[in-house]
Amino acid sequence: MTDAQRRTDDEPVSPAHVVNQVEGYLLWQARVAEAEERARAFTEPLEWLTTAQREEIEQHYVRDCLVRARGDLQRVADRCRALREEYEERYSRLRARCVAAVIAAVAVLAAAALLTLAVTQS
């Protein structure tokens, strides 16, 4: 599901979201340009190719590179989501333990204060 599919028309688009979209677009265009350049470099030594054959091979090479790049990016994005979930879970547990430790420390201090007060009044 893309960001456009998740967003409803009522939700405002944040500047950070726009920046991320533009950055992603520019990175993908750089990947396309790189694939095209590599395709030309691949077919350059093949002098015996006709122009049509050269173009067909370059198109196939670019298409293959971009399919692989998309797969790589998808795997990276999936791993990022998995790590985010894992870290959010760890943070939640750590926060709960910290809150429990603070409550326990306050209880011990309160008990010590009450004990001290009871001893001084006796």
Side-chain angles (χ1 to χ4, degrees):
M1 181 176 286
T2 65
D3 289 341
Q5 291 169 327
R6 276 183 250 145
R7 239 181 24 83
T8 63
D9 291 333
D10 297 339
E11 294 178 29
V13 177
S14 71
H17 178 76
V18 172
V19 168
N20 286 338
Q21 293 287 47
V22 169
E23 182 182 24
Y25 174 79
L26 293 174
L27 287 171
W28 186 253
Q29 292 306 311
R31 184 64 64 110
V32 170
E34 178 187 354
E36 290 170 345
E37 182 180 320
R38 291 179 73 196
R40 282 189 296 278
F42 178 76
T43 59
E44 189 175 323
L46 306 175
E47 298 167 356
W48 48 268
L49 290 174
T50 66
T51 302
Q53 289 172 330
R54 182 178 308 278
E55 288 174 357
E56 184 178 346
I57 290 172
E58 287 177 3
Q59 288 172 357
H60 177 73
Y61 190 98
V62 168
R63 205 171 26 252
D64 183 62
C65 284
L66 295 179
V67 165
R68 290 172 188 268
R70 187 174 299 275
D72 292 344
L73 290 172
Q74 187 62 52
R75 282 188 293 280
V76 168
D78 292 343
R79 181 65 179 143
C80 287
R81 280 189 284 276
L83 284 173
R84 181 180 182 151
E85 289 173 8
E86 181 181 333
Y87 288 140
E88 284 176 350
E89 181 183 327
R90 285 184 182 186
Y91 176 74
S92 178
R93 284 190 309 218
L94 178 62
R95 187 177 56 212
R97 288 194 338 228
C98 287
V99 167
V102 167
I103 290 172
V106 168
V108 167
L109 289 174
L114 286 175
L115 184 61
T116 303
L117 185 62
V119 168
T120 55
Q121 286 183 353
S122 304

